[in-house]
């Protein structure tokens, strides 16, 4: 099954919407296979956001993501990367449709609540950055027969 890395950012944790975010993916039918509340070190932040190094928002992004606890998760399901990016909405909350997480919960691009991997390759890379292999819990989700073909 496909996996992706999702993370409630420090603004989402402070605003106490971890539960709402988790609920959106659960009710869609996706499967949670790992989760933890943690601080992101500067070193980890630099690795995670390496693709943005040199961009005007990079330094502020590092400061923000290391400023408080995040809720890091791995979710599983067919086409989970594409589906979760859709549920999350556009990067800038001004462009994010109502009904998406960013469309419903935030106003400003640098405080956009949640991270989601943008491709299966980045999902693999980001999962490995944040989780040990033995932290990913493989288990059978018994209602999958009622969710998948
Ligand atoms: O993948 P996604 O989070 O939707 O956007 P990215 O283009 O990868 O940017 C990562 C992160 O950087 C974004 O979620 C907010 C922040 N950011 C910003 O503060 N200002 C921008 N103009 C673009 C991105
Ligand atoms: Mg991105």
């Amino acid at each position: 099954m496909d996996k992706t890395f999702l993370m409630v950012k420090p603004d989402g944790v402070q605003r106490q919407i971890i539960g709402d975010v988790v609920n959106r993916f659960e009710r869609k039918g996706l499967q949670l296979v790992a989760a933890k509340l943690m601080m992101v070190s500067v070193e980890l932040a630099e690795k995670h956001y390496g693709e943005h190094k040199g961009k005007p928002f990079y330094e502020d992004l590092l400061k923000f993501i290391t400023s408080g606890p995040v809720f890091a998760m791995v979710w599983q399901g067919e086409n989970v990367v594409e589906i979760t990016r859709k549920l999350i909405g556009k990067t800038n909350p001004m462009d994010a449709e109502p009904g998406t997480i960013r469309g419903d919960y935030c106003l400003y691009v640098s405080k956009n609540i949640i991270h989601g991997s943008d491709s299966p390759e980045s999902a693999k890379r980001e999962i490995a950055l944040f989780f040990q292999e033995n932290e990913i819990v493989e288990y059978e989700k018994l209602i999958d027969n009622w969710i998948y073909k």
Side-chain angles (χ1 to χ4, degrees), residues 50 142 149:
L142 294 171
K149 194 169 160 220

Side-chain angles (χ1 to χ4, degrees), residues 12-73:
V13 173
Q14 289 295 332
R15 291 180 55 194
Q16 302 191 282
I17 56 174
I18 293 172
D20 291 348
V21 169
V22 168
N23 180 242
R24 285 173 180 242
F25 300 122
E26 282 189 328
R27 73 187 188 187
K28 181 72 172 168
L30 299 171
Q31 182 176 3
L32 182 65
V33 294
K36 59 184 170 188
L37 189 70
M38 60 181 278
M39 293 296 293
V40 176
S41 67
V42 174
E43 199 185 6
L44 176 57
E46 284 172 346
K47 283 184 189 153
H48 176 64
Y49 282 127
E51 63 173 307
H52 297 304
K53 196 172 177 182
K55 294 184 185 171
F57 58 86
Y58 178 70
E59 297 300 330
D60 285 343
L61 180 59
L62 289 196
K63 246 183 242 163
F64 169 61
I65 208 69
T66 58
S67 66
V70 301
F71 192 66
M73 302 169 277

Side-chain angles (χ1 to χ4, degrees), residues 76-105:
Q76 180 171 289
E78 281 179 24
N79 303 312
V80 70
V81 172
E82 198 183 339
I83 289 165
T84 51
R85 289 286 293 196
K86 265 193 193 145
L87 294 178
I88 287 169
K90 297 256 173 67
T91 303
N92 190 332
M94 289 289 291
D95 305 323
E97 297 294 332
T100 64
I101 293 170
R102 286 169 174 167
D104 286 350
Y105 284 101

